[in-house]
Amino acid sequence: MPEAALDLTPFMADGMPAPAPYDLKAVALHVGGMGGGHYHALCRKRHDGGWYQCNDSTVRAARLDQVDRSQPYILFYQQQGTPSLVG
């Protein structure tokens, strides 16, 4: 789960131009099992570059390295050089 400069070139068809790399912007996590659980997210704030844990009604500063690398549910990447739609 690279935080910056994810390179998708090895997965491109031959002859296709290399895309710009992608940066990690958010991680959705699930805690629990098949019978139930809870979702929360780690999101990177554009203005300060910091990571924040968003969990129901609370938001607090966090570190990406606190995520168990084997547990992310969904990773959200943004291509470098494209405008951000969120703050």
Side-chain angles (χ1 to χ4, degrees):
M1 171 172 94
E3 185 175 346
L6 173 65
D7 181 10
L8 297 178
T9 304
F11 306 102
M12 300 295 292
D14 290 338
M16 295 293 295
Y22 290 78
D23 295 329
L24 185 63
K25 297 298 181 179
V27 179
L29 301 133
H30 181 261
V31 178
M34 294 294 288
H38 180 72
Y39 291 95
H40 62 106
L42 287 176
C43 303
R44 184 172 216 156
K45 190 171 181 183
R46 176 178 51 168
H47 299 293
D48 66 8
W51 286 94
Y52 293 86
Q53 182 181 34
C54 306
N55 191 357
D56 290 337
S57 61
T58 62
V59 176
R60 65 179 177 87
R63 293 191 335 259
L64 186 62
D65 63 1
Q66 293 172 313
V67 175
D68 179 345
R69 300 293 175 143
S70 66
Q71 296 301 316
Y73 183 69
I74 302 173
L75 303 174
F76 296 88
Y77 282 89
Q78 179 180 8
Q79 191 173 31
Q80 292 178 357
T82 60
S84 180
L85 301 176
V86 295

